[in-house]
């Protein structure tokens, strides 16, 4: 990207004057010296988390400094272990999650014989009734049914819960008695080979986090402001609801960045924007002065229960935990599938921004409910799916 003449209001004076680019709401060029490698090389060894990152995570999760540092180390180990443990479980794999109390990765298995093999990898096991394949198949049938006939507005979302061994449908408070909601639940139960349970969701409907044009923020398309997600070879990834294919994108200073090369929403919520005209990419997520800008070293997926942080152009840097995966979100524009739900807050204009766990890219902000004053929940579109769909390579340090 082209150079900024001044540091924008709200950014730490310690940030190096430099480029906005595709790894967060905006970026400094603190990582420009990495050489700009855009290859998909395997992730480098994780560096020790900075003291400010540890404090910020501790503040959002209610942890002491030592607890936050220990948790980050445990989660990094769990992310590295999860693929190996899943292979060891084979067809009996029933899902996995991070247990904050023990600091261990827990793997559900349907076979006691397989449990020993999984434990040999270093993971903890729990015998479950249904495999992850069975749970995902049951949810896929519900997705298909909802695709033919839109889910009622009183239904907020639905996902599999490997810990409970069920498909969980979340119903907005005050809509439990709606005839359409009751019919949806009956249909879900009839179509499912696994238990279907319900949870109460906030009364507020989930919405995307795009915003009207406001000066001094990362990127715009038409009268919509959104946030950059992650740098990839030749551009950046972001949320699909922020712009359609062919739409022109301008940066914080109003200058032309590039064009939406692909976009999908609803159904999915992802997009790829090309970068040119003097703009460039760096493998960095902006810390907004709350934490140092974070280098992106890979995209290993964080398990349910792990801590995660988000960077966006409106509410900047906030942290929380991963609550659920493969969740279907019932936006007013239509359902979006295979989303990950978090306890991290977000606000209008944060759409498309980065979700990161340690130094591993996780996804781009889609939508949610609430705000960063009173709290809320936010969903993101997993980044590995976006890279796969568009054949992109993540820009890593």
């Amino acid at each position: 990207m082209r150079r900024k003449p001044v540091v924008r209001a709200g950014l730490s004076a310690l940030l190096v004057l430099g480029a906005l680019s595709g790894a967060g709401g905006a970026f400094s060029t603190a990582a420009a010296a990495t050489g700009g490698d855009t290859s998909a090389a395997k992730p480098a060894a994780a560096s020790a988390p900075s003291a400010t990152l540890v404090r910020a995570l501790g503040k959002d999760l209610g942890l002491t400094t030592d607890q936050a540092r220990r948790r980050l180390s445990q989660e990094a180990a769990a992310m590295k272990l999860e693929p190996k443990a899943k292979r060891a479980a084979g067809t009996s794999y029933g899902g996995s999650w991070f247990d904050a109390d023990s600091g261990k990765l827990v793997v559900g298995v349907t076979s006691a014989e397989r449990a020993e093999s999984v434990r040999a990898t270093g993971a903890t096991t729990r015998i479950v009734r249904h495999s992850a394949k069975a749970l995902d198949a049951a949810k896929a049938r519900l997705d298909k049914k909802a695709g033919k006939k839109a889910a009622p507005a009183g239904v907020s979302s639905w996902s599999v819960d490997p810990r409970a061994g069920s498909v969980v449908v979340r119903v907005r408070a005050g809509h439990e008695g709606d005839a359409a909601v009751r019919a949806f639940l009956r249909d879900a139960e009839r179509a499912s080979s696994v238990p279907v349970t319900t949870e109460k969701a906030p009364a507020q409907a989930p919405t995307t986090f795009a915003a009207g044009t406001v000066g001094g923020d990362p990127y715009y398309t038409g009268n919509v402001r959104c946030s950059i997600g992650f740098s990839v070879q030749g551009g950046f990834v972001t949320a699909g609801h922020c712009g359609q294919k062919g739409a022109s994108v301008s940066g914080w200073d109003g200058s032309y960045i590039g064009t939406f090369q692909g976009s999908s929403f609803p159904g999915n919520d992802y997009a790829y924007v090309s970068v040119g005209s003097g703009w460039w990419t760096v493998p960095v997520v902006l810390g907004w002065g709350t934490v140092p800008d974070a280098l992106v070293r890979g995209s290993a997926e964080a398990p349910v229960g792990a801590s995660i942080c988000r960077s966006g152009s409106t509410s900047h840097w906030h942290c929380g935990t991963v609550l659920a995966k493969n969740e279907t979100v019932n936006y007013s524009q239509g359902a979006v599938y295979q989303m990950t739900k978090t306890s991290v807050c977000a606000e209008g204009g944060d759409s498309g921004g980065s979700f990161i766990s340690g130094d591993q890219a996780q996804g781009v902000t889609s939508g949610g409910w609430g705000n960063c004053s009173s709290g809320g929940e936010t969903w993101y579109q997993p980044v590995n799916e976006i890279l796969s769909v568009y054949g992109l390579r993540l820009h890593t340090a």
Side-chain angles (χ1 to χ4, degrees), residues 142 145 149 151-155 169-172 174-190 196 198:
L142 184 55
K145 183 175 290 291
K149 182 180 180 182
V155 173
V169 179
R170 294 170 181 86
V171 178
R172 291 168 55 200
H175 292 268
E176 298 88 345
D178 290 2
V181 169
R182 293 200 304 270
F184 181 85
L185 293 173
R186 286 195 301 270
D187 288 345
E189 291 169 352
R190 283 197 291 264
V196 175
T198 60

Side-chain angles (χ1 to χ4, degrees), residues 95 201 332 346:
S332 61

Side-chain angles (χ1 to χ4, degrees), residues 71 127 175 183 222 279 297 370:
R71 177 159 178 164
I127 300 298
H175 292 268
W279 295 69
R297 298 184 182 275

Side-chain angles (χ1 to χ4, degrees), residues 129-394:
R129 184 175 179 182
H130 302 287
S131 69
K133 183 177 181 181
L135 292 171
D136 288 342
K139 178 183 174 292
R141 286 192 289 272
L142 184 55
D143 287 343
K144 185 176 181 180
K145 183 175 290 291
K148 293 179 179 178
K149 182 180 180 182
V155 173
S156 177
S157 64
W158 57 93
S159 66
V160 299
D161 183 351
R163 292 165 292 191
S166 67
V167 173
V168 181
V169 179
R170 294 170 181 86
V171 178
R172 291 168 55 200
H175 292 268
E176 298 88 345
D178 290 2
V181 169
R182 293 200 304 270
F184 181 85
L185 293 173
R186 286 195 301 270
D187 288 345
E189 291 169 352
R190 283 197 291 264
S192 181
S193 59
V194 304
V196 175
T197 59
T198 60
E199 286 184 2
K200 180 179 288 189
Q204 183 179 347
T207 60
T208 55
F209 285 125
T213 300
V214 178
D217 285 290
Y219 87 86
Y220 307 88
T221 176
N223 66 343
V224 172
R225 169 172 60 85
C226 282
S227 300
I228 292 168
F230 292 97
S231 289
V232 296
Q233 185 181 27
F236 64 83
V237 294
T238 186
H241 69 262
C242 291
Q244 297 181 343
K245 182 178 180 180
S248 178
V249 175
S250 58
W252 65 273
D253 61 353
S255 64
Y256 174 75
I257 295 178
T259 303
F260 276 82
Q261 298 298 316
S263 180
S264 179
F265 179 80
N268 305 293
D269 196 3
Y270 51 64
Y272 163 51
V273 176
S274 61
V275 165
S277 301
W279 295 69
W280 65 88
T281 63
V282 290
V284 175
V285 172
L286 186 69
W288 292 99
T290 301
V291 300
D293 294 358
L295 289 175
V296 178
R297 298 184 182 275
S299 57
E301 188 176 341
V304 169
S307 63
I308 193 166
C309 299
R310 181 193 56 72
S311 180
S313 62
T314 298
S315 58
H316 299 170
W317 183 276
H318 289 276
C319 301
T321 58
V322 178
L323 299 177
K325 294 185 179 182
N326 191 22
E327 182 148 302
T328 299
V329 184
N330 191 30
Y331 292 132
S332 61
Q333 300 96 325
V336 177
Y337 308 103
Q338 296 180 318
M339 303 286 275
T340 298
K341 184 171 71 173
T342 76
S343 64
V344 188
C345 66
E347 298 180 1
D350 287 330
S351 279
S354 323
F355 266 93
I356 188 167
S357 183
D359 56 11
Q360 301 295 303
Q362 299 299 312
V364 300
T365 304
S366 173
W369 62 268
N371 55 55
C372 290
S373 296
S374 59
E377 293 176 340
T378 304
W379 288 273
Y380 67 80
Q381 176 83 61
V383 70
N384 286 330
E385 180 183 357
I386 310 173
L387 300 176
S388 176
V389 167
Y390 293 122
L392 302 171
R393 288 186 292 171
L394 186 68

